[in-house]
Amino acid sequence: STTALKAAKIGHGMKATSYPSFKDELAEFYDYQEQDVVVDGRLITSRGPATAMAWALAIVAKVMDGEVANKVASQ
């Protein structure tokens, strides 16, 4: 979770998102965004369980490429 990343001091100042109720806690450490999934370099965060598929596809797109992510999404 984004709160665990903050506790480990990972990604200070980077763009990130989280479950909405953690916004105030995380906004002081991250450049907090409202999107479902936020990618900033190697940091990929999402807003919670409802965005798990979009988060997973963002990881596939980052590790492989967008074409592979689109193929996985279409299946």
Side-chain angles (χ1 to χ4, degrees):
S1 79
T2 310
T3 54
L5 294 172
K6 179 186 172 200
K9 300 184 183 345
I10 295 172
H12 183 258
M14 295 178 80
K15 293 179 183 175
T17 194
S18 69
Y19 196 74
S21 63
F22 290 99
K23 177 182 178 178
D24 292 339
E25 177 184 340
L26 297 172
E28 65 193 39
F29 190 79
Y30 293 105
D31 177 3
Y32 195 85
Q33 306 290 305
E34 298 284 339
Q35 293 90 349
D36 287 346
V37 176
V38 174
V39 178
D40 188 354
R42 297 185 315 177
L43 184 65
I44 304 172
T45 55
S46 75
R47 296 192 48 95
T51 61
M53 182 58 75
W55 177 72
L57 291 170
I59 293 170
V60 171
K62 187 72 169 176
V63 173
M64 304 295 283
D65 62 47
E67 186 175 321
V68 173
N70 289 335
K71 184 176 179 179
V72 170
S74 69
Q75 296 176 2

